[in-house]
């Protein structure tokens, strides 16, 4: 595919192609109490397509995150978006007994998708035989970032059992964590500690898989007493090959990644969204072994004087 250099970011990207998107695809999931609804977006042409599972933030659904899903699909990825049980589209009651294990159901949703790739692939016209199942990544924003992190090795102390089980999945090779929760304990606000028990004691020490962490330096979350640097914890506290993209002036929705013209975006900035699109795309190609040229260019462009952000790696 042709390469076009994006002047605003300095990251060279492949030319966009038309996208096929199918929704909802329904997978049986009896243990969660409701079938799992999934959206798949993929380029209309091409083979050996890497796969990204995209976990939405709290309350969203397969309808969300178009700026990321559409971009990644138009530039060569199969993007799979499940609707998790916390979605507003499902309307679970406040006293629903599944709520304390919402974090765990999310992880199981992602495993369900991985277990049923044959079914999903066959359900999308023209997709059969084109994805590369040896190249699977996971991405997530906010609560979805924790979901992605668990598949990469992050351990969550189950609020019901107290056990921090290893729920990583070897089918997932790398990940992107966007505006994701950091350390628990004294770093949480009283509200978060009481109402979001899966945030109380996350253990990043086993999150060894490669990952890009994206953090806004003005993401002053109501869940922590620390301030914006809290969302850099998945980079700071985890071992292994990691990168951190810090976006200057970015709040929780990183310029508007959760949807087109959504009212929840408090820092609307199309240029910032473009940077997130291109940097995450470049990283995913690098981490999955597709090509590292764009990631090398991204590291060079964002290593120092770029007005929109800073990229560091170890």
């Amino acid at each position: 595919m042709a390469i076009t250099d994006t002047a605003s970011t300095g990251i060279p990207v492949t030319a966009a192609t038309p996208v096929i998107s199918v929704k909802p695809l329904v997978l049986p999931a009896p243990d969660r109490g409701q079938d799992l609804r999934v959206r798949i977006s993929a380029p209309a042409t091409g083979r050996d397509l890497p796969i990204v599972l995209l976990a939405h933030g709290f309350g969203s659904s397969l309808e969300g995150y178009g700026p990321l899903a559409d971009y990644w699909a138009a530039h060569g990825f199969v993007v799979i978006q499940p609707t998790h049980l916390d979605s507003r589209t499902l309307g679970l009651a406040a006293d629903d007994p599944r709520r304390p294990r919402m974090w765990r159901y999310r992880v199981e949703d992602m495993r369900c998708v991985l277990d049923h790739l044959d079914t999903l692939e066959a359900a999308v016209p023209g997709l059969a035989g084109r994805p590369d199942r040896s190249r699977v990544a996971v991405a997530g924003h906010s609560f979805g970032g924790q979901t992605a992190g668990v598949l990469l090795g992050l351990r969550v102390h189950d609020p019901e059992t107290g056990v921090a089980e290893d729920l990583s999945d070897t089918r997932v090779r790398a990940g992107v964590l966007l505006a994701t929760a950091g350390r628990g304990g004294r770093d949480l606000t009283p509200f978060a500690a009481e109402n979001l028990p899966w945030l109380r004691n996350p253990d990043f020490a086993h999150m060894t898989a490669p990952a890009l962490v994206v953090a806004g330096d003005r993401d002053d979350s109501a869940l922590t007493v620390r301030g914006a640097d809290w969302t850099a914890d998945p980079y700071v506290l985890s071992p292994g090959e990691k990168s951190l993209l810090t976006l200057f002036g970015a709040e929780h929705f990183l310029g508007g990644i959760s949807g087109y013209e959504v009212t929840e975006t408090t820092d609307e900035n199309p240029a910032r969204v473009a940077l997130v699109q291109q940097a995450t795309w470049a990283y995913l190609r690098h981490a999955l072994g597709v090509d590292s040229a764009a990631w090398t260019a991204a590291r060079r462009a964002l290593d120092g004087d770029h007005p929109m952000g800073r990229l560091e790696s170890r």
Side-chain angles (χ1 to χ4, degrees):
M1 290 185 288
I3 301 290
T4 57
D5 189 16
T6 305
S8 62
T9 63
I11 303 172
V13 299
T14 58
T17 61
V19 170
I20 297 171
S21 187
V22 178
K23 64 167 188 179
L25 302 173
V26 181
L27 296 175
D31 291 342
R32 81 199 286 266
Q34 290 173 269
D35 289 340
L36 179 61
R37 292 178 175 264
V38 177
R39 178 177 189 153
I40 296 184
S41 303
T45 59
R47 302 188 65 82
D48 300 321
L49 305 171
I51 300 168
V52 181
L53 277 61
L54 176 55
H56 63 72
F58 189 89
S60 188
S61 71
L62 58 76
E63 302 287 356
Y65 297 89
L68 294 180
D70 294 347
Y71 188 89
W72 293 340
H75 292 84
F77 285 86
V78 177
V79 183
I80 306 178
Q81 298 174 262
T83 292
H84 300 298
L85 284 175
D86 55 271
S87 173
R88 289 183 295 270
T89 65
L90 299 180
L92 261 64
D95 60 350
D96 190 291
R98 291 170 288 183
R99 283 196 174 273
R101 291 175 62 83
M102 197 73 75
W103 72 272
R104 180 69 177 257
Y105 283 112
R106 281 173 152 263
V107 176
E108 292 171 358
D109 290 346
M110 304 297 256
R111 289 185 179 278
C112 182
V113 167
L114 290 169
D115 291 343
H116 292 88
L117 286 177
D118 283 339
T119 300
L120 294 171
E121 186 176 319
V124 179
L127 187 60
R130 296 171 57 216
D132 182 352
R133 301 199 196 167
S134 71
R135 290 183 166 125
V136 177
V138 64
H141 173 248
S142 195
F143 196 6
Q146 185 190 73
T147 305
V150 171
L151 292 172
L152 300 173
L154 170 65
R155 298 187 184 181
V156 174
H157 284 75
D158 189 296
E160 294 185 331
T161 67
V163 176
E165 187 178 352
D166 178 10
L167 298 176
S168 61
D169 196 305
T170 57
R171 292 171 290 185
V172 178
R173 290 177 51 176
V176 175
L177 280 58
L178 302 123
T180 303
R183 187 165 44 196
R186 291 177 299 176
D187 290 354
L188 297 181
T189 61
F191 172 85
E194 180 178 355
N195 295 283
L196 306 174
W198 49 81
L199 295 183
R200 290 173 186 161
N201 294 292
D203 181 359
F204 294 95
H206 305 278
M207 198 175 80
T208 58
L212 168 64
V213 176
V214 183
D217 69 358
R218 293 187 184 175
D219 185 1
D220 294 317
S221 173
L223 304 180
T224 181
V225 297
R226 283 251 312 273
D229 69 328
W230 186 58
T231 60
D233 279 358
Y235 172 77
V236 174
L237 300 178
S238 64
E241 181 184 329
K242 298 293 188 298
S243 294
L244 172 65
L245 173 60
T246 303
L247 299 171
F248 303 149
E251 299 177 10
H252 192 59
F253 292 98
L254 307 176
I257 64 168
S258 64
Y260 299 108
E261 301 178 353
V262 293
T263 57
E264 64 190 2
T265 299
T266 54
D267 64 333
E268 185 175 1
N269 189 317
R272 183 176 297 137
V273 172
L275 177 57
V276 175
Q277 290 170 326
Q278 293 158 24
T280 55
W281 170 84
Y283 176 78
L284 288 167
R285 283 172 60 86
H286 160 73
L288 294 177
V290 177
D291 181 78
S292 293
W295 181 240
T296 299
R299 293 183 65 178
R300 184 167 54 246
L302 292 159
D303 184 19
D305 297 327
H306 199 286
M308 296 177 60
R310 180 182 63 257
L311 180 62
E312 55 192 281
S313 299
R314 55 170 169 75

